[in-house]
Amino acid sequence: MIKVSVPNMNVVPIVVKPVFEELGYEFIAPPKMSRKTIEEGAKYAPEFACFPLKAVLGDFILASRKGAEYLVIFGGTGPCRFGWYGSTLQIILKNLGIPAKVFVLDFPTEKWARDTFSILGINGSSVKKLIHSGLIALKKLRLIELAQELARKIRPFEVKIGESDKTLQKIYKIVDNENSFIRLMKMKNEIKLMFEGINKNSNHELIRIGLVGELYMCLQEELNMWTESKLGKLGAFVDRSAIGLWKYVTGDIGLNFAHRRAKRIAYPWLKWHAGGESIYSIGYSLIFERKGYDGVVHISPLGCMPEIVAQTIMEKCVNIPILNLVFDEHTGETGVNTRLEAFCDLLKLRKE
Amino acid sequence: MWLGVDVGSVSVDTVLINDKIEVFKSAYLLTAGMPIEAIKEGLRKSRDSVPVLGVGTTGSGRELAAVLTNADIVKNEITAHAIAAAHFVPDVRTVIEIGGQDSKIIILKDGIPVDFAMNTVCAAGTGSFLDHQAQRLGIPIEKFGQLALQSKSPARIAGRCTVFAESDMIHKQQLGYGIEDIIAGLCKSLVRNYLVNVAKGKPILPPIVFQGGVASNEGIRKALEEELGMKVFVPTYNKLMGAIGAAMLAKKVMKDKRKTSFRGFDICDMEFNTQSFICEDCPNTCEIVKISSNGKVLATWGSRCGKWDLSK
Ligand code: SF4
Ligand code: SF4
């Protein structure tokens, strides 16, 4: 059996596992992202590559050490450097003497993307089984996104700080190990109950913060130093409606209504999708402002052109406080904590 | 009396303030790599028999100071600096703070911070830039300000970065510029670096409060005023603003709390041990620090998964 792996990107490994197994591969999850991943990636990537590439490279190197032969990323052709990820990663791995092959998945509207699918064998497998595993994957994703949403709502009210995060980790495990569609269908209530069981104190004022920025950095909490969770613990409700895996997939093919609305709202300021989440960063920040939110946190990786464009435009058009956080392999956690804390203080003082 | 402790990367500042936010006692000490000793020494110097009603800590070492003192409130340095500045200059719009290793800008409106930025990576806009060049020139940093003021035509020292500034400075020396012109040039260079790296695009409106250790340097103050085309106000206790802010915050929280948790000034004579080790239980390899006194562990930090945290 050929061994296949994907990068860590929030819960992507959990979600895609059933599909790859259905296709007859052995799925190797990359080790949980750690300092080691980032170090390995940063060591072998070009210094000025954007930070996500370094992290993905780290994952690929570690996964190939675990035996992965096929490495799959979601990708495409741009418009920013993302379009070069596949080929860049392949060249770096080759130079390192790692024999693994990199595959880039995209919507099969172009010939190269169709070719990828046919090599991976998606064309040859039983359609019925594939759809079944696809539905399982989807269900897993929806369940996890529900759990994350609940965690965001409860964190600011936790009596025992950190309990939501622990519950979340538990749920990841349960969902990962459950492969029966019927039982997954029934799990929604179980998840809700688990969160309802957390002790809450409800008598303090809430600040509301919208999170925007580059998708991968926003989702990969080890890279953004747990920004979402920390904001929650500082007493903020974090709205992450701008970013999510499900949204990413549906938004890319124009099926997500909220994304289309955000694009429309951003239109006077940015007319083309400049890569990254740029257009959504602007659109959703404006939406958050209209909703009366207290502030926006904008996360981007160092060296990301599209998000710098977005940041500059946001400074002009968004009238609520924005905190820009830029991460790379040298970012110190203390500095991030200070900024987050100061930002929440500022929002609270404004309310008083 | 309220006690404020500001533990920065370069210095430890402590103050005791009274009800009217007047500084009663204070100390400013260099950390010299031994923050615990410096905190103890600072407390020893601001020790007094009047009862302490509350303790606040701030600065990058605020957690450490909080553990030693058992503080009532722990706050980040941005909030602390903003609060102190707004107390002394109620209509302040801009706070410029240049410290030894870091610098920040805070924009306020109606006494409330509305925006801020801080640098942490680049030293070019901080005090360490000056210290470094002072050492090179063999001139004590205290004389820098005076000398800079004597300059009639400051040398233009290029420098987005300390390394480039240094080579350019040597070049200017070789061209025969007077020492005061070079120093004035360095001051200008630091100010430009600060404005480019830290204040980047933020609207700098008067009244401007200039605080932090570097604000004592008249050369820098003059360069800043020239570059901005506006007057800046340096408060009497420019070095202590963080600690004053922390003490003010302590005063504020103690309104709803009855008794301070302060350990008392006896901590100056207590022994604190720190122990650090690397956790190898997962590839994060966190560096865990443990602080204990008399065999009792007071705090641990550094673990990313929370495994070593003390249960409260
Ligand atoms: S969005 Fe930014 S970080 Fe991501 S690939 Fe494009 S340039 Fe790089
Ligand atoms: S403290 Fe936790 S996260 Fe850090 S190395 Fe140990 S097990 Fe890993």
Side-chain angles (χ1 to χ4, degrees):
Chain A
M1 241 195 264
I2 295 179
K3 296 185 175 113
V4 65
S5 184
V6 298
N8 274 306
M9 176 175 177
N10 199 274
V11 293
V12 165
I14 298 180
V15 172
V16 299
K17 188 169 133 193
V19 179
F20 282 112
E21 288 181 343
E22 190 55 55
L23 285 169
Y25 290 102
E26 182 181 340
F27 185 75
I28 308 258
K32 203 168 161 4
M33 189 169 278
S34 69
R35 216 165 285 179
K36 176 122 190 272
T37 320
I38 298 167
E39 271 168 21
E40 289 288 326
K43 193 155 68 185
Y44 298 112
E47 191 184 345
F48 293 109
C50 33
F51 190 33
L53 181 108
K54 298 182 184 178
V56 171
L57 177 64
D59 271 340
F60 277 1
I61 292 175
L62 297 184
S64 61
R65 285 196 197 141
K66 278 173 82 181
E69 295 148 281
Y70 282 9
L71 302 166
V72 180
I73 55 164
F74 306 97
T77 46
C80 63
R81 289 190 257 180
F82 193 37
W84 293 99
Y85 270 32
S87 19
T88 314
L89 288 163
Q90 183 70 79
I91 293 170
I92 299 173
L93 291 174
K94 198 170 153 224
N95 289 347
L96 287 173
I98 296 172
K101 214 169 146 26
V102 177
F103 290 93
V104 181
L105 291 190
D106 196 2
F107 289 97
T109 41
E110 304 217 14
K111 189 173 176 301
W112 70 266
R114 281 197 294 277
D115 289 348
T116 316
F117 281 111
S118 60
I119 299 172
L120 282 173
I122 294 187
N123 292 339
S125 174
S126 137
V127 175
K128 205 176 140 213
K129 277 188 177 168
L130 245 180
I131 291 179
H132 182 70
S133 64
L135 285 175
I136 291 184
L138 204 64
K139 190 70 213 163
K140 289 190 173 193
L141 176 60
R142 301 299 275 168
L143 284 173
I144 288 174
E145 290 199 333
L146 167 79
Q148 291 177 340
E149 182 63 36
L150 291 171
R152 280 192 285 277
K153 286 202 174 119
I154 289 173
R155 260 189 220 111
F157 300 109
E158 284 175 343
V159 174
K160 206 168 144 218
I161 304 246
E163 222 175 325
S164 314
D165 285 334
K166 284 205 181 114
T167 312
L168 211 48
Q169 294 301 331
K170 258 188 241 155
I171 290 170
Y172 290 166
K173 277 223 181 74
I174 299 175
V175 172
D176 193 18
N177 293 330
E178 185 56 74
N179 280 317
S180 139
F181 190 67
I182 314 259
R183 255 171 294 170
L184 281 169
M185 288 296 281
K186 288 184 188 146
M187 212 177 259
K188 198 167 162 184
N189 272 331
E190 200 181 314
I191 289 177
K192 282 191 178 155
L193 283 177
M194 283 172 85
F195 278 103
E196 269 164 29
I198 295 175
N199 274 339
K200 296 172 270 289
N201 72 13
S202 50
N203 50 5
H204 77 82
E205 213 189 338
L206 192 68
I207 48 173
R208 293 185 301 165
I209 294 177
L211 191 72
V212 298
E214 195 270 338
L215 176 90
Y216 179 74
M217 289 303 297
C218 289
L219 290 180
Q220 192 58 34
E221 49 185 12
E222 288 86 357
L223 295 184
N224 66 39
M225 304 192 163
W226 295 272
T227 293
E228 190 184 304
S229 158
K230 281 176 185 164
L231 284 170
K233 291 168 187 166
L234 286 166
F237 165 67
V238 181
D239 185 329
R240 213 189 65 188
S241 61
I243 294 138
L245 283 172
W246 172 243
K247 210 159 220 186
Y248 173 62
V249 177
T250 52
D252 221 35
I253 45 178
L255 282 183
N256 194 298
F257 177 71
H259 258 29
R260 279 166 70 169
R261 173 158 175 251
K263 248 188 189 166
R264 229 176 18 246
I265 290 174
Y267 188 78
W269 301 93
L270 184 64
K271 299 198 171 28
W272 297 276
H273 194 31
E277 275 28 69
S278 49
I279 210 161
Y280 301 122
S281 295
I282 299 168
Y284 278 97
S285 299
L286 290 167
I287 292 177
F288 292 137
E289 182 190 332
R290 288 185 194 176
K291 278 189 180 168
Y293 277 30
D294 301 301
V296 168
V297 171
H298 177 241
I299 294 182
S300 60
L302 190 73
C304 174
M305 174 275 297
E307 291 301 328
I308 291 180
V309 172
Q311 182 181 331
T312 318
I313 296 177
M314 281 158 67
E315 272 163 25
K316 295 207 178 82
C317 67
V318 180
N319 293 315
I320 48 177
I322 303 171
L323 177 69
N324 294 301
L325 293 174
V326 182
F327 293 91
D328 74 347
E329 66 270 27
H330 305 296
T331 305
E333 202 167 342
T334 327
V336 175
N337 292 350
T338 302
R339 286 177 175 85
L340 290 175
E341 223 187 288
F343 190 63
C344 286
D345 278 350
L346 174 161
L347 299 183
K348 282 177 198 158
L349 282 170
R350 265 168 75 102
K351 277 198 121 161
E352 272 172 19
Chain B
M1 291 285 161
W2 283 271
L3 178 65
V5 185
D6 179 359
V7 181
S9 36
V10 179
S11 68
V12 169
D13 321 325
T14 53
V15 296
L16 261 186
I17 57 169
N18 66 12
D19 259 335
K20 295 192 207 96
I21 324 285
E22 288 161 350
V23 175
F24 181 67
K25 273 199 167 172
S26 70
Y28 174 88
L29 289 151
L30 295 181
T31 331
M34 297 174 39
I36 295 190
E37 287 315 308
I39 294 170
K40 278 161 69 176
E41 185 57 31
L43 290 176
R44 204 169 287 138
K45 287 195 172 159
S46 32
R47 188 174 196 152
D48 200 89
S49 52
V50 293
V52 170
L53 302 175
V55 184
T57 66
T58 187
S60 50
R62 58 187 178 277
E63 299 287 345
L64 176 70
V67 169
L68 299 200
T69 55
N70 210 4
D72 297 300
I73 183 166
V74 189
K75 260 297 166 211
N76 62 83
E77 52 271 37
I78 297 196
T79 308
H81 275 283
I83 283 192
H87 172 77
F88 291 104
V89 183
D91 56 345
V92 56
R93 294 297 308 269
T94 314
V95 175
I96 291 177
E97 199 263 355
I98 305 185
Q101 290 275 323
D102 40 37
S103 43
K104 37 187 131 3
I105 180 164
I106 312 171
I107 310 288
L108 296 96
K109 211 178 161 193
D110 307 322
I112 291 171
V114 287
D115 194 9
F116 65 87
M118 59 191 275
N119 87 320
T120 37
V121 272
C122 177
T126 73
S128 67
F129 171 79
L130 275 196
D131 287 341
H132 193 73
Q133 306 312 336
Q135 230 169 35
R136 246 215 99 80
L137 294 168
I139 293 169
I141 186 82
E142 298 77 40
K143 285 207 183 141
F144 244 60
Q146 276 305 320
L147 276 170
L149 290 185
Q150 289 163 17
S151 161
K152 299 234 161 47
S153 58
R156 230 194 128 78
I157 297 191
R160 286 291 296 271
C161 152
T162 43
V163 180
F164 288 126
E166 190 163 310
S167 54
D168 199 39
M169 182 181 86
I170 295 168
H171 178 65
K172 293 282 150 63
Q173 270 177 305
Q174 287 161 346
L175 286 180
Y177 276 87
I179 195 78
E180 64 279 358
D181 291 341
I182 289 193
I183 290 177
L186 282 173
C187 293
K188 270 192 172 299
S189 174
L190 180 142
V191 166
R192 273 198 306 267
N193 281 328
Y194 171 84
L195 293 176
V196 171
N197 292 331
V198 186
K200 218 176 351 194
K202 302 239 180 283
I204 300 183
L205 299 172
I208 304 166
V209 173
F210 180 27
Q211 54 197 41
V214 174
S216 317
N217 186 319
E218 295 132 84
I220 298 283
R221 181 164 129 200
K222 182 162 165 253
L224 189 58
E225 286 183 335
E226 277 172 11
E227 201 72 29
L228 292 173
M230 284 179 265
K231 277 234 129 348
V232 300
F233 172 75
V234 178
T236 329
Y237 299 107
N238 65 70
K239 287 182 179 177
L240 301 173
M241 293 297 267
I244 294 176
M248 288 173 65
L249 282 160
K251 180 167 177 263
K252 197 171 152 206
V253 290
M254 291 319 283
K255 257 198 252 154
D256 349 294
K257 218 172 134 185
R258 250 167 286 136
K259 202 169 171 304
T260 175
S261 51
F262 184 39
R263 241 185 260 285
F265 281 107
D266 294 342
I267 48 172
C268 308
D269 308 315
M270 265 162 81
E271 276 299 320
F272 293 97
N273 302 310
T274 54
Q275 216 188 351
S276 73
F277 61 93
I278 301 213
C279 173
E280 306 263 6
D281 295 356
C282 91
N284 269 332
T285 53
C286 300
E287 199 179 344
I288 317 288
V289 180
K290 231 191 223 180
I291 297 193
S292 51
S293 178
N294 280 329
K296 191 170 164 263
V297 181
L298 299 176
T300 56
W301 55 72
S303 113
R304 296 198 136 174
C305 63
K307 168 181 208 157
W308 299 94
D309 294 355
L310 293 187
S311 51
K312 282 195 182 134

